[in-house]
Amino acid sequence: MTIKTPALPPEIQNLEPYKPGKPIEELERELGIRGAVKLASNENPLGPSPKAVLAMQEVLKDVHRYPDGAGFELRDALARRFGVKFEETCLGNGSDEIIEFLCRAYVRPGQKALAAAPSFLMYSKLVQVAGGVFAEVPLNRDFTIDAQGMLDAVTSDTRLIFMNNPNNPAGTALTGEAMRDFLDQVPSGVLVVLDEAYIDFASAKDCANGCDFLNHPKTPVVVMRTFSKSAGLAGMRIGYALGPEEVIRAFDRVRQPFNTSLPAQAAAVAALEDKEFLQKTRNLVHQGLSDLYRCFDELGLFYVPSQTNFVLVKIGPKAVQVAGELLKRGVIIRSMASYDMPEFLRISVGLPEENQRFIEELKSIATGGPGL
Ligand SMILES: Cc1ncc(COP(=O)(O)O)c(C=O)c1O
């Protein structure tokens, strides 16, 4: 007898699972090699914040207990750091989970969420899971978010606007002035989500800072950030949101009671205080970006100057093939085919020797190998 499972709703049937960057171990197993480098998931190549590691070790003896479901210590630290009320903070199992809360709480079938195209892929997937309509507004020609285009795309069904700033995968950022101008014009009844996963890497002095807009007089704003990138805690899964109390209360209704683990909470509290590690990370990323830019300039490749820890580079019609060739040589980067930009690659900044390895392999493909 065959087992019959219930029919999937069409929106789930049509959903493509998110394809993360290939793990190093998987590639090494497949190729039978060692020493592969991964520059594909915008991780922190320095490892985790050392203060966070100590804090996690400290709490491991207590993991027979459930974590504090209210995340008191971390939320209290966040409230003090950003000058907001405790009730205006919320934790997520990675900031991915905050996107899930937003969609679960605010998007019903037929309702709409907007984002720039391309931007982080999880918005569209989680809106689709909620049965919502995901609408996209192409980036400007200079790869910045088209704020006016986003405003023009708002309809009476729109509930959420995701502003991924700085943008993944473009690496560009809106200025504070442009963001204020945008927020001033958002129609009422729409919640604006400022996804600032990469804000710690921004070097532009005028880059918008979501915390400046939490008290916008007209438009409700949620700022989401993560410990996955600058704090090096991607494997712990911890992110947070700051926003109006009413929104945070809605998140509490739709979240699991113990959504973030004890070690993750402890790590994040310690990472918030690890200013030395943050500075070291920023320096490494900025130096790495300039090394990558130099390589692209030498090869005559177009790239988008970045406010993040990755850079988007245009290889041309052979980009997917070049990504495959790099993979064969043990260098994992991200093809942008799944972002509808098949001629581009996204390179995360690694350690200097990892960046160098990528640079050498790319140059070898360009000159000696199959060519770019
Ligand atoms: C723009 C953006 N937002 C959110 C996330 C989710 O990060 P996490 O769930 O690790 O906090 C990512 C991860 O790459 C991202 O690029």
Side-chain angles (χ1 to χ4, degrees):
M1 206 174 85
T2 52
I3 297 176
K4 194 163 163 41
T5 54
L8 278 178
E11 63 272 20
I12 306 297
Q13 183 79 46
N14 298 333
L15 199 60
E16 276 288 318
Y18 182 83
K19 280 202 195 75
K22 200 185 247 301
I24 290 182
E25 299 72 21
E26 191 180 316
L27 183 70
E28 291 184 344
R29 244 191 341 265
E30 279 174 14
L31 297 182
I33 58 165
R34 296 188 67 75
V37 301
K38 184 177 177 192
L39 305 175
S41 297
N42 308 336
E43 294 153 336
N44 191 327
L46 289 174
S49 140
K51 288 196 169 145
V53 172
L54 285 178
M56 287 188 274
Q57 283 164 347
E58 187 72 15
V59 300
L60 286 179
K61 64 183 185 326
D62 299 323
V63 296
H64 59 302
R65 305 270 181 218
Y66 283 102
D68 174 6
F72 179 81
E73 215 189 325
L74 177 54
R75 289 175 63 202
D76 186 51
L78 290 168
R80 280 187 281 114
R81 165 64 57 91
F82 295 110
V84 298
K85 288 198 266 177
F86 179 83
E87 293 77 12
E88 294 170 327
T89 66
C90 173
L91 307 182
N93 188 9
S95 54
D96 275 344
E97 200 189 24
I98 308 281
I99 306 170
E100 209 170 310
F101 297 161
L102 285 157
C103 295
R104 266 195 225 149
Y106 289 103
V107 181
R108 286 277 114 355
Q111 294 179 336
K112 191 160 103 182
L114 277 178
S119 47
F120 185 47
L121 291 178
M122 289 308 290
Y123 309 141
S124 63
K125 296 193 184 301
L126 293 168
V127 169
Q128 200 175 331
V129 170
V133 177
F134 184 69
E136 294 180 304
V137 176
L139 294 176
N140 288 316
R141 287 172 70 88
D142 64 357
F143 292 83
T144 54
I145 294 180
D146 178 2
Q148 186 57 50
M150 301 284 264
L151 290 169
D152 295 343
V154 173
T155 61
S156 59
D157 294 329
T158 305
R159 295 294 176 272
L160 301 175
I161 302 181
F162 289 101
M163 295 292 270
N164 183 191
N165 198 60
N167 175 277
N168 175 12
T172 56
L174 287 184
T175 64
E177 200 184 331
M179 189 65 84
R180 185 172 301 284
D181 188 47
F182 165 77
L183 290 170
D184 286 348
Q185 298 177 67
V186 172
S188 87
V190 178
L191 179 60
V192 175
V193 183
L194 304 184
D195 180 349
E196 297 187 332
Y198 298 98
I199 193 82
D200 287 337
F201 303 112
S203 53
K205 296 264 176 306
D206 58 358
C207 174
N209 179 338
C211 294
D212 294 342
F213 306 111
L214 285 169
N215 292 319
H216 191 275
K218 187 172 152 287
T219 301
V221 169
V222 167
V223 173
M224 340 175 336
R225 293 187 180 176
T226 180
F227 290 93
S228 294
K229 312 292 175 183
S230 56
L233 293 172
M236 287 312 294
R237 314 305 302 124
I238 183 97
Y240 60 94
L242 310 173
E245 281 185 62
E246 194 185 323
V247 174
I248 303 298
R249 278 199 300 274
F251 290 174
D252 274 339
R253 292 196 176 101
V254 299
R255 74 174 175 89
Q256 292 191 23
F258 305 109
N259 62 318
T260 61
S261 74
L262 175 60
Q265 291 181 19
V269 171
L272 266 184
E273 295 305 320
D274 203 343
K275 300 212 170 72
E276 195 186 331
F277 182 73
L278 178 62
Q279 196 49 51
K280 207 169 147 191
T281 299
R282 283 171 59 91
N283 293 345
L284 179 99
V285 164
H286 294 152
Q287 181 58 50
L289 282 174
S290 53
D291 292 346
L292 291 169
Y293 296 166
R294 196 171 337 103
C295 158
F296 300 147
D297 284 334
E298 281 167 23
L299 292 173
L301 296 172
F302 169 82
Y303 60 90
V304 184
S306 175
Q307 297 298 318
T308 65
N309 63 342
F310 56 82
V311 55
L312 189 66
V313 58
K314 184 168 185 182
I315 300 289
K318 286 195 193 164
V320 173
Q321 201 186 328
V322 169
E325 186 58 36
L326 284 165
L327 204 58
K328 276 196 238 155
R329 297 167 182 228
V331 178
I332 312 171
I333 47 81
R334 195 64 156 249
S335 153
M336 288 288 100
S338 55
Y339 285 77
D340 238 357
M341 301 177 84
E343 299 205 347
F344 286 78
L345 302 179
R346 192 193 66 193
I347 321 298
S348 307
V349 175
L351 294 171
E353 56 273 26
E354 294 172 326
N355 301 333
Q356 205 45 46
R357 171 90 177 278
F358 161 77
I359 289 170
E360 277 161 19
E361 296 296 358
L362 187 69
K363 284 184 173 169
S364 138
I365 293 170
T367 52
L372 296 182

